[in-house]
Each structure stands twice: as C-alpha cells, then as structure tokens.
Amino acid sequence: MKRNITYILLALTIIAASCNKKNETDTGLDKGQVSIKIAGVSYADNDGDLQTKASTNKSLASTSTTQNKTVPFNNELDVKATLTAVTSSSTLRASTGNTKMSTTPTVLDNGAKYLIAAYDAAGNYVNSTGVLTYTTTSTNWTMDLSAGAYTFVALAVDPGQTFPTINLNQNLSNISFNVTGADTDLLWKKQSVTVTSGQNTVQNLVLSHVFTEVKATLESTSANVVGNITSMTGGTLTPNYASATFSFASGTYTQGGQSLNRALSFTGTGLAWSSNPALIITEGTTAGKINFGTVTLNSVQSGARSGLIDLSNLSLQKGIKYDLKLRLVPKGALDIPNSNYYWGAANLKAGSPPTAVEAAQYLLGGSHDGGGSQAYCSSVLGTGWQTPSQAEYDQLIAAGKARGTYNGQTGWFLGTSTVPTTNLDNYMFLPDNKSVIVASGSGNVSTHIPADALGVYWADRTVQGTAKPAVILTATDVYIMPIHQNNAIGIRCVRNK
C-alpha cells in the first residue's frame, strides 16, 4: 500500500513538471522580438503633430514653403527677402489639416542624450532604455514582448544639454515635461509597432526637431553698384519664448514665459555674409520679425553707406527649418540669375515723358515712341538706367524663354526655359501689351509691327532714322526685328551691374 502511494505521488510530480514545461514553452511562443535603432534626425515628423494647425488669422503671413518680401534698405537700395521652409522635396504633405514638411535625415550627433520607451495598446508603461549617450556605434535596443500593439517613443537632446526629467512609469497620454530654452534642441519620434509571435521586428526611428531653426544669408548683388558688405551689427529674431511644456505622446508643446529677442550673429567677407543657425520656441501663429541692425557697404560707384533691414509678418511655424536669403539690389531692379545686368522690376508707365514704373511685372505699362525713349529710364529710375540694347536682350533670351501667365496676364518669361511656379520675380516677365501699342510706321512694310505680335518692346536706346530694333512677342516665339521708330511701344529698363 505504501509503495502504491509512492508511485502515485511520483506520477503526479512528473505530470506537473510536464505541464509547467509546456506552459513555459507556450509563453515563449506567444512572444516576439523588437529591435529599435536611432536612424537619424530630420525636421518635421510624418506621424506626429509637431505643428499647430494653420491659423485663420488673415493678417498673418503665408504658411507656404516660400515667403517673399521687398523692403527698403536706404534711399537707393532695396532688400529682396525670400524665406524658404527647407524640405527634402517641394511637396507639402497634409495631415489632419496641418502642413507637414520634412528634410533629408542626418546622423544624430555623437554625445547626444536619448532614451526610448515602450507602451502597450492601452498606453501603459512597459519598459525603457533609460537615458543613454549616443555614438555612431550605438547598438539596437532589443526586447521580447507579448504579441500585440505597442507604441515606442524616442527623445533626445543636443550634446552638452540637460536631459529633461520625465516620469515614464505612467500612462503615455499623461506624460508631459518642461524644457527651458530652444538650445536644448529637443528631438522626438513616436512609432506604432505590431509584435507578432515568433518574429523579430526591426524599427529605424528618424527623430524630428521640435523647435524652429532659422539661418540667414545676406548677399550684395554687385560690388560696383551695391558694394561689398563690410559690417553687420545687432541682428535679432522674434518670437522666441523662454520655455515650453512638451507632450510626450503627441510631440506638441505649449510655449511659456516671455518672448525674448534671439540674437543672430553674422560672419563673412565681400559680397556674402551668413548667420549662425538660430533655434527658437515659437507658438507657430504669431508673425515673426527679423531685424539686422546696421549693415555697412562700400561700393565702387557710391563709396561707404549703410542701412537697416527690418522684416516683419513672417510665418515661423513649429518644427520647421527655414533658410532666409536676402539680396541687396538697386531700387526698382530685378536681379535675374546669371545676368550681367539689373532689369527693371516693371514696365514704364504711360506719359510723355513717363514719371514712374508700374507696381508689378504683369501690368502692361504705357507706350512710347522710339525718338524720345533713350532718356526715359534714367529720368524715372536714376543715373545708370537706360533703354535696353539688342545685345542685352539677346543675352537674356539666350538664357531661356517660356510662355506663361503672371497673375492671370499672358506673356513671356525671359532668363528661364521653364515657367516658374514660385519666385516669379527672379526672372523677367514681359506681358503681352498689344492693347496699349500705337502703330505709326511708314509705308515700308519691312518696318511695320508684325500682325501676329502680341507684345512689342524697344531694344535700342539710340535714334536710328526710321528703323529701330524691337522685341516681338508672339504666341509661339520671342525675337528681335527692326520696326519704325514712330511706333509707340513698351519699355523695360536695364542697367549694368
């Protein structure tokens, strides 16, 4: 009897051990492995919401990728400013009403502090790496998880910056923390991962900058007319808030403290100076302001002179990298790429003589006979401006021509072989001005305005008897031919650089 009891107990022990082993094996089969690695850094995240929704306040500047402004520098010069949101492509990605833009990823800096935390489908804390120091040889963070849906959140700060204090062991939706100053350069990424039993899932996380970066470049377009840049002082950028409260789950922040000026320091020689990249904490809705203090120039024609650059109503959105390019040009001038000349920013208005130019390139302007046209440009725009010659137009046409529209007006773009979709004033646009032309030629048909001409402009600044070169615009071409100088046609002015 005693022996039977012993056998029964032994059998039960074996059965229990077998069951435990089976349960352990089943538990292992229910798990999958996840490997997470920091794969780089970009601006603006595709999955998170690093920006506020576009403001409906119509007084604010555009939130498009490019913002253009022309502001006075002094009585003789203007500043052409272009603020561009830097992207890996020219395409904007819309997500739940927000404008999204991303840059090509770069490597996270050696010495940056970072962590990665994991949360289950309900937002409950699962595990984290703790705060680590990044190197280019950093290995993946690997962990075994039960099958199901998880959220991984990564956070990093620049080398030398203090990593924020975060209580990770709570529901993800409740986690927020404070950041002091934009120089922390907070980086963030959230990634949803589905873990499958028995499978290894690899995720490469590209972190996104949370705060906004602005870098500025100032260029003089001519040492002769504008001058070399000899000094720049007192550059500032606003808004720039002192702190931010950051949501770990959404990647959004609320600015806090006062808005302070962010200093911009410039270095350079000759025709080009550039600033240090400046990080700011902006609410993404207030129009930004950039002031460059005093800029001093020294030109061959005019000697030493100075002026101020003050830009306002700039849209500086959250989590975007901006390049600000400023170009100093004579008042009323277009600076067309690869051209040896400044071209007038618009056609001469009507009048005999005219006293002004039109407000924009697409406006038709007036008509002027060839006999008096040689003096009109200098009388309106100042010394150095004149009616273009055939050689000057030939150079511009050879650089490219494209028929298109500007603000609904048909005409030809010169200096480019494709119709520009942005920065239209980087090129010459001659509008079809047939409606303002007054034909008054001789009986010689060789000097009549062609019947198919949609626009005509003088291309000579001298009096040449009856025949004088003119630019002819048709529906299919742009060319130069002589017409009678008694015809009254358009004038676009030019000057040497």
Side-chain angles (χ1 to χ4, degrees), residues 54-71:
S55 171
T56 56
N57 186 339
K58 293 183 179 179
S59 67
L60 298 179
S62 168
T63 58
S64 66
T65 52
T66 303
Q67 301 166 58
N68 297 295
K69 286 182 174 294
T70 300
V71 295

Side-chain angles (χ1 to χ4, degrees), residues 39-300:
V41 178
S42 178
Y43 265 90
D45 183 77
N46 295 334
D47 302 315
D49 184 12
L50 293 181
Q51 301 177 70
T52 57
K53 291 184 178 181
S55 171
T56 56
N57 186 339
K58 293 183 179 179
S59 67
L60 298 179
S62 168
T63 58
S64 66
T65 52
T66 303
Q67 301 166 58
N68 297 295
K69 286 182 174 294
T70 300
V71 295
F73 177 76
N74 57 20
N75 292 333
E76 301 169 306
L77 303 175
D78 281 337
V79 177
K80 303 280 187 181
T82 301
L83 182 68
T84 304
V86 180
T87 65
S88 56
S89 69
S90 59
T91 304
L92 299 184
R93 289 186 295 278
S95 172
T96 62
N98 298 308
T99 300
K100 299 282 185 181
M101 308 168 196
S102 70
T103 58
T104 302
T106 58
V107 177
L108 183 64
D109 289 338
N110 269 328
K113 302 293 184 183
Y114 76 100
L115 68 75
I116 306 170
Y119 296 84
D120 66 17
N124 299 312
Y125 174 73
V126 176
N127 203 351
S128 76
T129 60
V131 179
L132 303 174
T133 299
Y134 181 82
T135 68
T136 53
T137 59
S138 293
T139 58
N140 293 4
W141 178 46
T142 302
M143 62 186 302
D144 293 327
L145 293 170
S146 298
Y150 294 86
T151 298
F152 289 83
V153 184
L155 192 77
V157 299
D158 259 7
Q161 296 294 324
T162 301
F163 200 90
T165 301
I166 312 171
N167 177 13
L168 297 173
N169 193 10
Q170 56 179 314
N171 193 276
L172 177 59
S173 62
N174 297 329
I175 301 175
S176 64
F177 55 88
N178 293 325
V179 179
T180 301
D183 284 337
T184 303
D185 195 8
L186 202 64
L187 304 165
W188 175 90
K189 175 67 178 182
K190 180 172 71 175
Q191 183 67 51
S192 298
V193 177
T194 299
V195 176
T196 303
S197 297
Q199 293 187 11
N200 181 20
T201 302
V202 178
Q203 291 288 332
N204 293 321
L205 302 186
V206 177
L207 306 182
S208 290
H209 292 269
V210 171
F211 301 134
T212 300
E213 180 185 294
V214 179
K215 183 176 181 179
T217 302
L218 177 64
E219 297 179 0
S220 166
T221 52
S222 166
N224 184 47
V225 178
V226 176
N228 287 311
I229 304 167
T230 56
S231 68
M232 295 181 66
T233 60
T236 60
L237 171 64
T238 58
N240 175 42
Y241 289 89
S243 63
T245 301
F246 186 77
S247 167
F248 196 52
S250 68
T252 60
Y253 69 82
T254 303
Q255 71 283 354
Q258 292 182 321
S259 176
L260 307 171
N261 286 340
R262 179 67 196 240
L264 287 173
S265 59
F266 283 80
T267 57
T269 57
L271 297 177
W273 287 51
S274 60
S275 78
N276 58 307
L279 286 166
I280 58 172
I281 297 176
T282 173
E283 74 275 51
T285 55
T286 297
K289 295 182 179 180
I290 302 178
N291 179 278
F292 294 88
T294 301
V295 179
T296 304
L297 306 170
N298 192 357
S299 73
V300 174

Side-chain angles (χ1 to χ4, degrees), residues 19-39:
C19 289
N20 286 338
K21 185 174 182 180
K22 183 178 186 302
N23 288 339
E24 288 173 4
T25 303
D26 289 346
T27 301
L29 289 174
D30 284 343
K31 288 194 173 184
Q33 192 174 78
V34 180
S35 296
I36 305 290
K37 185 176 183 179
I38 303 298

